[in-house]
Amino acid sequence: AALGAPAYLLKIMPHVDGSLRICELVRYRMTEINLKGAWSGPGALDLHPRTRWRRWPRCRCSRWCRPCTSSPTPRCRWARWLSITSAETNLLELTMQLKDKIALITGAASGIGNEIAVEFAREGAKVCIADLSLEAGQAAAAKINQAGGRAMAVAMNVTDEAQVDSGVAKTVQAWGGLDVLISNAGIQIISSLVELKFADWKRLLAVHVDGAFLTTRAAMRAMIAAKRGGSIIYMGSVHSHEASPLKAPYVTAKHGLLGLAKVVAKEGAAAGIRSNVICPGFVRTPLVEKQIPEQAKELHISEAEVVRNVMLKETVDGEFTTTQDVARLAVFLAAFPTNALTGQSVVVSHGWFMQ
Ligand code: NAD
């Protein structure tokens, strides 16, 4: 009520702990994702009191959207899409968890990184998509901008010191700072240790470990200079905690990120920089699709058996983790306001690995 929430929102409150979660309600309504778990009761379904698109000739949210007749701002477009009033938009704005935060996400033209970029933009962040191909990055940024978010792209090979420094500098210059780094770019190489080429070992470690170091250093420099803290998040893996055959450099690199995150947590604390690692189980992205036939060949089993008996065997329900699962966790970690949550790894894997 203190936020001026419309009455219909206040009626919707049956969260498991009984508390009002207006922000979550608005977010769920915005993304139109399936309501489940704590939200599956009748109260949660009341969340859709107005689903019709209002044919407004021009935006009514004059407070935020001026001028908006020719080029509506993201907020304005969302308000239209949601068909909500200016007062309600006010609430929507207040509940965005990353409102006006500036985030650089490596490897965000595809898979997990791309979903994080989309989710961050929905939460009000300005995102920079940093990936090998500028065209792919620009295409991903264009999709976000068309949907009403704010995104730009830079070409960045995370193993290249000059490209990393220049990509971070371009982001800072374009948007006036850097609040969040998601060090996500990654590759996979499937091979037994005895057959692994030294060049492949070095190539994988360069992307995951050198890339994490170079982006971290550039981001920390920008964050320290701006004196407003920040959040650095590494894309680890269940393989930051567990080992699997045929993945020696990947397991080594992902374990290494835990150490780097802990050092960043200690060195960054004085400047308000937090650092955490997300550790997903298997997520069906191009990186995983590629390794299913490769593992089948190496292990002499079918692709279905790779999925069932290798990838999902230890999960509690035989389910893949989704890009959305990982992105929601990234929002939570990026938005966490204090150093209380730093130097940690959080596993999101359907129970494959339990800490
Ligand atoms: P993906 O292949 O869909 O995306 C990886 C992205 O990284 C691509 O856009 C690629 O162009 C980019 N990239 C690769 N090398 C790069 C470089 N040198 N510089 C800049 N960008 C580069 O894969 P994904 O599954 O989304 O993987 C993203 C991250 O998540 C990786 O670090 C991966 O190890 C990690 N991860 C994935 C899974 C999974 O099951 N998919 C599980 C745990 C962790």
Side-chain angles (χ1 to χ4, degrees):
L3 298 176
Y8 75 80
L9 279 181
L10 291 178
K11 278 189 221 147
I12 308 161
M13 62 174 109
H15 197 270
V16 273
D17 64 6
S19 62
L20 269 173
R21 297 292 174 89
I22 295 167
C23 54
E24 291 184 40
L25 291 170
V26 174
R27 201 170 59 244
Y28 274 67
R29 174 68 188 81
M30 283 177 64
T31 54
E32 288 201 328
I33 63 173
N34 290 331
L35 298 168
K36 55 185 185 180
W39 298 104
S40 60
L45 298 176
D46 286 344
L47 193 56
H48 304 267
R50 306 178 197 183
T51 49
R52 273 186 307 115
W53 173 283
R54 269 192 208 153
R55 286 170 190 275
W56 287 341
R58 47 190 294 167
C59 179
R60 292 179 181 179
C61 312
S62 55
R63 186 167 150 211
W64 290 325
C65 304
R66 197 183 304 126
C68 67
T69 43
S70 55
S71 165
T73 66
R75 284 172 287 212
C76 167
R77 284 198 205 148
W78 276 341
R80 285 178 177 209
W81 182 72
L82 284 165
S83 186
I84 60 178
T85 64
S86 165
E88 290 160 335
T89 318
N90 201 345
L91 174 69
L92 186 73
E93 173 97 344
L94 281 168
T95 56
M96 283 180 169
Q97 296 186 66
L98 298 173
K99 183 170 145 357
D100 294 336
K101 295 284 182 203
I102 297 156
L104 185 142
I105 305 160
T106 66
S110 170
I112 292 171
N114 186 247
E115 188 75 41
I116 292 174
V118 169
E119 197 66 29
F120 271 39
R122 278 200 193 112
E123 292 291 347
K126 299 181 230 178
V127 295
C128 177
I129 292 174
D131 211 307
L132 287 173
S133 154
L134 184 60
E135 291 72 37
Q138 283 171 334
K143 272 193 191 162
I144 291 173
N145 290 326
Q146 277 154 20
R150 290 172 291 179
M152 62 178 277
V154 293
M156 184 189 288
N157 180 340
V158 295
T159 67
D160 183 313
E161 185 174 6
Q163 283 189 29
V164 169
D165 289 345
S166 118
V168 170
K170 279 182 192 158
T171 310
V172 171
Q173 194 182 21
W175 280 327
L178 184 65
D179 301 298
V180 184
L181 165 69
I182 310 276
S183 172
N184 166 79
I187 58 170
Q188 179 60 283
I189 295 171
I190 301 295
S191 170
S192 68
L193 244 175
V194 290
E195 283 168 10
L196 184 66
K197 295 189 184 86
F198 188 31
D200 283 343
W201 167 270
K202 286 194 280 197
R203 183 161 61 92
L204 190 141
L205 286 173
V207 176
H208 289 266
V209 183
D210 297 1
F213 160 67
L214 290 172
T215 50
T216 297
R217 190 182 65 178
M220 282 183 83
R221 285 174 176 168
M223 288 171 182
I224 290 167
K227 295 195 171 81
R228 59 183 201 224
S231 175
I232 296 181
I233 298 170
Y234 299 97
M235 199 51 62
S237 163
V238 162
H239 286 113
S240 298
H241 298 278
E242 285 273 3
S244 292
L246 310 177
K247 294 184 177 177
Y250 189 81
V251 171
T252 305
K254 293 300 189 190
H255 274 67
L257 293 180
L258 299 180
L260 178 61
K262 289 177 188 174
V263 175
V264 173
K266 293 201 171 188
E267 289 193 14
I273 298 170
R274 305 177 301 288
S275 168
N276 292 289
V277 186
I278 295 176
C279 298
F282 281 102
V283 184
R284 284 203 96 136
T285 63
L287 180 135
V288 161
E289 297 296 347
K290 179 172 171 285
Q291 66 180 275
I292 293 173
E294 290 173 356
Q295 290 218 46
K297 192 170 158 221
E298 289 280 342
L299 298 169
H300 308 293
I301 56 177
S302 70
E303 293 187 16
E305 284 171 319
V306 170
V307 170
R308 196 174 55 245
N309 300 336
V310 178
M311 294 182 165
L312 304 180
K313 186 170 172 227
E314 303 294 335
T315 62
V316 294
D317 51 11
E319 297 268 346
F320 276 98
T321 302
T322 65
T323 54
Q324 180 78 21
D325 295 328
V326 181
R328 293 309 312 162
L329 178 55
V331 169
F332 173 80
L333 290 173
F336 199 85
T338 71
N339 280 348
L341 181 50
T342 193
Q344 305 302 311
S345 71
V346 185
V347 181
V348 52
S349 70
H350 281 261
W352 167 14
F353 181 78
M354 300 188 191
Q355 306 202 67

